[in-house]
Amino acid sequence: MCRADGQTRRRVLYCFQKPRLTAFSKGFSAMKQHMLCPLAALIGGVLAAGLRLAQNRTGFEASTGLPVPGNLWGMLLISLLIVLAVLFFLLVRCIPLRVDTPPAPSFAVSFSTTQAGLLTVTVAGVLLVALSGVWEAALGLGVLPGGEDASSAAGRLSLVLGVMSLLSAGSLFSAVVACRRAGAHEADAPAAQPVRGTLLLVPVVFCVIRLVVTYREDSIDPALSVYYIELLALVFLTLAFYRLSSFAFQAGLTRRFAFFAMAAIVLCAAVLTDPLPLCTRLYFAGCGVSLLGFLLLRLDCLRTKKK
């Protein structure tokens, strides 16, 4: 009797120490690792956008535009951003470091896929960036109603920003095309086309220029809470696109790219609720969607390699 009780006890301990992994649990675990980071960024973006919208409606005085002291929605938004930063840091720690050990693959191999849905997300974001560039350039030329005088400084600046948005969209689109051409999952696929790293630095340079222009225009406002979300969005867009371009130099770090991309997605979603021009909203929406697509491509590529 004692012997039987000892065997039963050992079986119970074995079940707790070494749980059996079925094929379903393995597949579910792989799915969670693949979608957890993008889903967290999307949910965080929705929450941040809701809180920012509530802050814009109740957190500023209608007559002067100054912030209302102690606004609940503004404090909740800051708290949410801090919590999301910690959460994203913990999530990216789940990505193994060995995926970026040398020799590092090329950009096309790192983001290769044959799934049309993932490419559609990225292309949609690139098209939104291109549309924002066309809209802003048209405003600078005075073609659209409410546009600037083409000979004025504001008109020339709007034209330059529009052209740079179009150049950024073109460089990102070339990267998407290279990912599709890689076809790493097809048996008789052609060789992966290289992506020029200098070409992917165009969005980085444009984000820096836009950050400087935005700060010069908004810094005259004494209320930092009015424009700090837009500045943070541009900062993290710069870091995210910089980390994206590093894969073209075979020096990419998936953890850092994922962290900055998720933070940029959240901030871009929050900026969409600010009273900004339509072309600016289209730019932030396009950048957020394109980074979401590249994040999905990178994580899907890692998931496929595990199989």
Side-chain angles (χ1 to χ4, degrees), residues 15 41 74 82 98 129 149 154 159 161 182 211 233 236 241 272 304:
C15 292
I82 296 174
R98 63 178 181 274
V129 175
D149 186 5
L159 179 61
L161 294 178
L211 176 61
F236 279 93
F241 283 125
L272 295 180
T304 307

Side-chain angles (χ1 to χ4, degrees), residues 18-48:
K18 295 183 179 181
R20 295 181 180 179
L21 294 177
T22 61
F24 174 79
S25 62
K26 290 181 179 179
F28 183 69
S29 177
M31 184 274 293
K32 288 193 298 182
Q33 293 178 2
H34 172 225
M35 296 300 298
L36 194 56
C37 289
L39 282 177
L42 288 176
I43 295 174
V46 172
L47 294 176

